[in-house]
Amino acid sequence: MTLADSERRGDAVADVIVVGAGGSGMTAAASAAALGLKVIVVEKDAKVGGTTGLSVGSIMAAGGAFQKRAGIEDSPADHARDLDAIRTTMGAQDDPELRALLTENVADTVEFLRSIGVNFLAPLPQPPHTKSRLHQVMPTSRAYVQRLHRLCRQLGVEIRLGTPLTRIVVENGRVGGIEARSGNRDIRLTARRGVVLASGDLGGNNQLMHKYLRNWVPGIEVYNPNNTGDGHVAAAAVGGHIVPRKDLGAEMSAAIRFVKPRDSLIQKIPPYPSVTRALILAMKVLPDWLIRPFMMKFLTTTLGPDRIMYQQGAILVNMRGERFADELNAPNVLIPQQPDGLAYLVFDERFAQKFRRWPYFISTAPGVAFAYLDDYRAARPDLFNRAPSIEALAARLGMPPDGLARTIAETNRAREPEMQLLEAPFYALGPVKTWVLIGPVGLSVNTRLQVLDEAGAAIPGLYAVGQVAQGAMTLSGHGHGLGWAFTSGRLVARSLAGARAAEPPNIRAAE
């Protein structure tokens, strides 16, 4: 089919086709449009936002304006060293060139986001990083989605929702567009400059997770069920290399999180710049006892229990009141196998008294450093359970009273006195579940964000950003997934603007 045939069919032609309307995709689209390129975005969901809209919302950046105003000496090199130390502790591999690409450009990414009306509370500490470099979006990650979507509309980017990618189109070894499904018909979109995959991770594809990760455990719920590796599969069909991550396994790729509240009014605060500026001012001038519960109401919708809880004696029990795991040895992979896939953290009054102040915290919470037991009691009463006896606690949780009592008794017999759960009242936090937040497997890309084949050669006309472009990079801890999404989205536009235009006369779909 010729280009003219494509136009007569009603299919579209653009300079750039972006697959995915999450944070990385909309940033790539807007940045390319700002450079004068015509851009079409296809998104298989019925709304924009992707995983970005579900995130905590933090970005790690070194050497930017916030740190300079706070008198903090930091640099991209320091940031890269911290990331290298963290991944070494994890026993994970990394790509130093992509890591440098992130750390050297992410501060400019924060400034780009600020320029379009996104506001941050920053800089904030986040151990084990050695400098305060965390930037927490206000009020929630919906601010990213709203401002990027608005920017795309202003720049004339066309976004087609409910339009999943079906295959990448190539001619003479060069990517020239895509095929997608729109309603009940197949469409073909031609790209003069290139196709950008911004299709997210592959956490929802058990087959690929098992193939590319170590000891994957199927059946774990996916935080964003739309992330099924569509871009990975389509790229592999035209020679793209999916980087195996056998250095990472289920214990590192699936996270325990408290279940979300059924309805949270705090999450509905409009993310307009005037509102977020007012929130940031309130954070700075109002006393901690007044503003802290407010911040916690939206931060605790995405947090999970810290390992220190298990180290100090909390146990995980299922809905039968049974302890099913060694809490210090990858309990996350066992929770999905329990009734309803749920568990509770159970502890006593002695433990509760500890976890009301530093250094004993329930969760790390970007923007307020740490969340303690009283924060959960005030901000998430749906997760906080207390009862005068073990039997009463079991009844409150809907567990067999004798089952939980037997579990506590067996646990105490196996422990030293200082770790036993003896002192009433008794507590439970939860339920918790295990989610695949991000499937940490991506396509191999170079520093121009071009997708590479098995031999390391760039596939002409094919680019990737965000999680699908993770390659061998390890994006650990708060703030790096989003930092990479927005930064790679910005940078790919430069590559596209310099790409040689190609309008092949006969474009075919890759088999």
Side-chain angles (χ1 to χ4, degrees):
M1 177 182 295
T2 66
L3 183 60
D5 290 335
S6 178
E7 290 174 320
R8 279 195 296 272
R9 262 181 40 162
D11 297 346
V13 178
D15 295 309
V16 179
I17 306 297
V18 178
V19 180
S24 63
M26 287 196 290
T27 302
S31 299
L35 293 174
L37 302 179
K38 179 181 178 182
V39 184
I40 297 175
V41 180
V42 296
E43 166 59 51
K44 75 176 184 180
D45 201 359
K47 62 182 183 302
V48 301
T51 305
T52 295
L54 303 173
S55 67
V56 173
S58 52
I59 296 177
M60 284 285 188
F66 283 103
Q67 285 184 318
K68 290 175 182 176
R69 281 201 295 268
I72 296 173
E73 294 186 7
D74 197 5
S75 70
D78 290 339
H79 189 182
R81 277 191 289 271
D82 279 355
L83 281 176
D84 192 44
I86 293 168
R87 70 95 188 169
T88 300
T89 300
M90 295 169 58
Q93 65 190 53
D94 202 13
D95 183 325
E97 290 187 346
L98 293 183
R99 183 174 68 222
L101 191 68
L102 169 64
T103 58
E104 291 170 6
N105 290 281
V106 68
D108 288 339
T109 295
V110 170
E111 291 307 307
F112 158 72
L113 292 166
R114 291 180 66 200
S115 75
I116 65 172
V118 177
N119 289 312
F120 296 93
L121 186 65
L124 302 166
Q126 187 64 46
H129 285 263
T130 57
K131 304 287 180 67
S132 294
R133 58 173 70 108
L134 187 142
H135 298 66
Q136 179 60 39
V137 71
M138 295 293 288
T140 68
S141 56
R142 289 190 306 115
Y144 295 127
V145 176
Q146 192 262 355
R147 303 310 291 178
L148 285 170
H149 192 199
R150 180 174 181 269
L151 181 63
C152 284
R153 293 196 303 269
Q154 289 175 336
L155 292 171
V157 173
E158 180 184 351
I159 299 179
R160 300 188 180 194
L161 301 176
T163 308
L165 168 72
T166 55
R167 64 176 76 183
I168 293 170
V169 173
V170 296
E171 173 64 22
N172 299 326
R174 181 182 179 86
V175 168
I178 65 166
E179 286 189 352
R181 187 74 180 168
S182 178
N184 60 0
R185 74 185 188 99
D186 294 320
I187 61 171
R188 182 170 295 180
L189 304 177
T190 299
R192 300 186 185 94
R193 296 291 184 102
V195 169
V196 180
L197 298 174
S199 47
D201 65 272
L202 44 64
N205 189 320
N206 272 316
Q207 182 179 0
L208 293 182
M209 291 287 278
H210 178 74
K211 181 177 181 180
Y212 291 103
L213 289 173
R214 184 183 71 248
N215 67 350
W216 182 245
V217 179
I220 301 176
E221 190 169 340
V222 184
Y223 213 62
N224 183 356
N226 285 317
N227 286 348
T228 52
D230 300 355
H232 298 68
V233 172
V238 296
H241 176 48
I242 302 174
V243 181
R245 296 306 304 266
K246 296 300 182 179
D247 55 323
L248 301 176
E251 69 279 4
M252 295 183 181
S253 307
I256 298 174
R257 292 287 186 268
F258 292 108
V259 298
K260 298 178 182 179
R262 291 182 179 177
D263 186 34
S264 176
L265 292 177
I266 200 77
Q267 295 290 320
K268 298 179 181 179
I269 295 175
Y272 303 131
S274 58
V275 174
T276 56
R277 284 194 295 269
L279 290 175
I280 292 170
L281 179 62
M283 288 287 296
K284 293 178 178 178
V285 303
L286 294 178
D288 186 67
W289 63 266
L290 180 61
I291 197 64
R292 186 181 182 90
F294 174 82
M295 286 290 294
M296 283 295 172
K297 281 188 182 295
F298 64 82
L299 286 173
T300 52
T301 63
T302 51
L303 300 180
D306 194 271
R307 182 179 173 85
I308 194 175
M309 293 190 69
Y310 310 134
Q311 293 171 335
Q312 294 299 313
I315 63 171
L316 280 168
V317 301
N318 62 23
M319 292 302 298
R320 293 192 291 262
E322 300 165 337
R323 188 180 179 192
F324 56 87
D326 174 358
E327 290 82 6
L328 294 173
N329 187 22
N332 53 338
V333 301
L334 296 177
I335 291 176
Q337 303 170 25
Q338 307 311 307
D340 300 324
L342 301 175
Y344 285 85
L345 291 103
V346 174
F347 47 92
D348 69 351
E349 176 65 16
R350 181 167 53 179
F351 179 101
Q353 290 300 323
K354 274 187 180 181
F355 278 75
R356 288 188 163 95
R357 62 189 66 85
W358 175 262
Y360 302 108
F361 52 89
I362 304 297
S363 308
T364 58
V368 289
F370 302 100
Y372 299 98
L373 183 60
D374 289 336
D375 292 317
Y376 275 89
R377 178 183 56 79
R380 290 296 307 274
D382 56 312
L383 301 176
F384 184 87
N385 301 276
R386 179 172 56 190
S389 68
I390 295 171
E391 292 77 11
L393 183 64
R396 180 179 176 89
L397 300 175
M399 298 176 183
D402 57 338
L404 184 58
R406 185 167 54 250
T407 294
I408 298 294
E410 291 172 353
T411 298
N412 288 340
R413 283 195 295 269
R415 287 182 165 183
E416 297 297 322
E418 65 272 14
M419 293 291 285
Q420 293 176 358
L421 305 177
L422 297 170
E423 187 175 338
F426 293 90
Y427 297 78
L429 279 182
V432 294
K433 294 182 69 172
T434 298
W435 275 280
V436 180
L437 301 181
I438 296 293
V441 175
L443 297 168
S444 179
V445 297
N446 60 20
T447 55
R448 295 190 65 225
L449 288 312
Q450 294 172 296
V451 176
L452 307 180
D453 63 17
E454 297 279 349
I459 298 174
L462 186 60
Y463 302 81
V465 294
Q467 293 297 333
V468 72
Q470 183 169 339
M473 184 167 50
T474 297
L475 297 169
S476 58
H478 287 300
H480 295 107
L482 283 182
W484 177 242
F486 299 132
T487 298
S488 58
R490 285 180 49 243
L491 296 180
V492 78
R494 301 178 189 176
S495 297
L496 289 161
R500 179 176 56 84
E503 298 181 88
N506 292 294
I507 299 175
R508 59 178 176 79
E511 298 299 333

